[in-house]
mmCIF file of all heavy atoms in Angstrom:
data_model
loop_
_atom_site.group_PDB
_atom_site.id
_atom_site.type_symbol
_atom_site.label_atom_id
_atom_site.label_comp_id
_atom_site.label_asym_id
_atom_site.label_seq_id
_atom_site.Cartn_x
_atom_site.Cartn_y
_atom_site.Cartn_z
ATOM 1 N N SER A 10 12.024 -16.384 -7.721
ATOM 2 C CA SER A 10 12.449 -15.052 -7.946
ATOM 3 C C SER A 10 11.371 -13.954 -7.694
ATOM 4 O O SER A 10 11.374 -12.882 -8.253
ATOM 5 C CB SER A 10 12.878 -14.860 -9.445
ATOM 6 O OG SER A 10 13.634 -15.913 -9.862
ATOM 7 N N ASP A 38 5.515 -7.046 -3.350
ATOM 8 C CA ASP A 38 6.796 -6.373 -3.161
ATOM 9 C C ASP A 38 7.747 -6.577 -4.326
ATOM 10 O O ASP A 38 8.973 -6.529 -4.183
ATOM 11 C CB ASP A 38 7.462 -6.772 -1.873
ATOM 12 C CG ASP A 38 8.484 -5.806 -1.382
ATOM 13 O OD1 ASP A 38 8.401 -4.660 -1.749
ATOM 14 O OD2 ASP A 38 9.415 -6.241 -0.732
ATOM 15 N N GLN A 72 0.296 -11.205 -15.186
ATOM 16 C CA GLN A 72 0.711 -10.045 -14.350
ATOM 17 C C GLN A 72 -0.472 -9.622 -13.533
ATOM 18 O O GLN A 72 -1.630 -9.752 -13.915
ATOM 19 C CB GLN A 72 1.118 -8.893 -15.299
ATOM 20 C CG GLN A 72 1.726 -7.805 -14.526
ATOM 21 C CD GLN A 72 2.297 -6.701 -15.453
ATOM 22 O OE1 GLN A 72 2.269 -6.812 -16.638
ATOM 23 N NE2 GLN A 72 2.864 -5.665 -14.815
ATOM 24 N N ASP A 79 -4.549 -11.148 -0.866
ATOM 25 C CA ASP A 79 -5.254 -12.379 -0.553
ATOM 26 C C ASP A 79 -5.712 -12.972 -1.835
ATOM 27 O O ASP A 79 -5.902 -12.270 -2.808
ATOM 28 C CB ASP A 79 -6.445 -12.024 0.431
ATOM 29 C CG ASP A 79 -6.832 -13.289 1.212
ATOM 30 O OD1 ASP A 79 -6.194 -14.367 1.165
ATOM 31 O OD2 ASP A 79 -7.889 -13.272 1.844
ATOM 32 N N GLN A 81 -8.477 -16.466 -3.163
ATOM 33 C CA GLN A 81 -9.246 -17.700 -2.895
ATOM 34 C C GLN A 81 -9.770 -18.233 -4.200
ATOM 35 O O GLN A 81 -10.143 -17.514 -5.051
ATOM 36 C CB GLN A 81 -10.463 -17.304 -2.013
ATOM 37 C CG GLN A 81 -10.115 -16.814 -0.594
ATOM 38 C CD GLN A 81 -9.650 -17.946 0.261
ATOM 39 O OE1 GLN A 81 -9.912 -19.068 0.061
ATOM 40 N NE2 GLN A 81 -8.851 -17.569 1.326
ATOM 41 N N LYS A 117 -11.105 -0.551 -7.706
ATOM 42 C CA LYS A 117 -11.192 0.247 -6.457
ATOM 43 C C LYS A 117 -12.462 -0.194 -5.644
ATOM 44 O O LYS A 117 -13.276 0.671 -5.281
ATOM 45 C CB LYS A 117 -11.190 1.717 -6.732
ATOM 46 C CG LYS A 117 -9.812 2.226 -7.209
ATOM 47 C CD LYS A 117 -9.513 3.610 -6.681
ATOM 48 C CE LYS A 117 -8.359 4.182 -7.432
ATOM 49 N NZ LYS A 117 -8.793 4.934 -8.651
ATOM 50 N N TYR A 120 -11.436 2.024 -1.155
ATOM 51 C CA TYR A 120 -10.815 3.286 -1.467
ATOM 52 C C TYR A 120 -10.937 4.199 -0.169
ATOM 53 O O TYR A 120 -11.834 3.960 0.601
ATOM 54 C CB TYR A 120 -11.529 3.997 -2.643
ATOM 55 C CG TYR A 120 -13.038 4.129 -2.482
ATOM 56 C CD1 TYR A 120 -13.567 5.275 -1.970
ATOM 57 C CD2 TYR A 120 -13.873 3.061 -2.735
ATOM 58 C CE1 TYR A 120 -14.929 5.432 -1.762
ATOM 59 C CE2 TYR A 120 -15.271 3.152 -2.618
ATOM 60 C CZ TYR A 120 -15.769 4.327 -2.074
ATOM 61 O OH TYR A 120 -17.110 4.418 -1.863
ATOM 62 N N ASP A 215 -4.426 -5.347 25.460
ATOM 63 C CA ASP A 215 -3.583 -4.544 24.559
ATOM 64 C C ASP A 215 -4.198 -4.244 23.180
ATOM 65 O O ASP A 215 -3.615 -3.564 22.428
ATOM 66 C CB ASP A 215 -2.232 -5.155 24.357
ATOM 67 C CG ASP A 215 -1.422 -5.211 25.668
ATOM 68 O OD1 ASP A 215 -1.796 -4.387 26.574
ATOM 69 O OD2 ASP A 215 -0.486 -5.986 25.806
ATOM 70 N N ILE A 336 2.904 -29.861 19.207
ATOM 71 C CA ILE A 336 3.292 -28.777 18.261
ATOM 72 C C ILE A 336 4.598 -29.086 17.612
ATOM 73 O O ILE A 336 5.577 -29.342 18.271
ATOM 74 C CB ILE A 336 3.372 -27.439 18.990
ATOM 75 C CG1 ILE A 336 2.033 -27.163 19.733
ATOM 76 C CG2 ILE A 336 3.626 -26.328 18.011
ATOM 77 C CD1 ILE A 336 2.143 -26.005 20.709
#
Side-chain angles (χ1 to χ4, degrees):
S10 318
D38 197 27
Q72 190 174 1
D79 199 10
Q81 294 288 336
K117 289 217 193 90
Y120 56 94
D215 292 343
I336 303 166

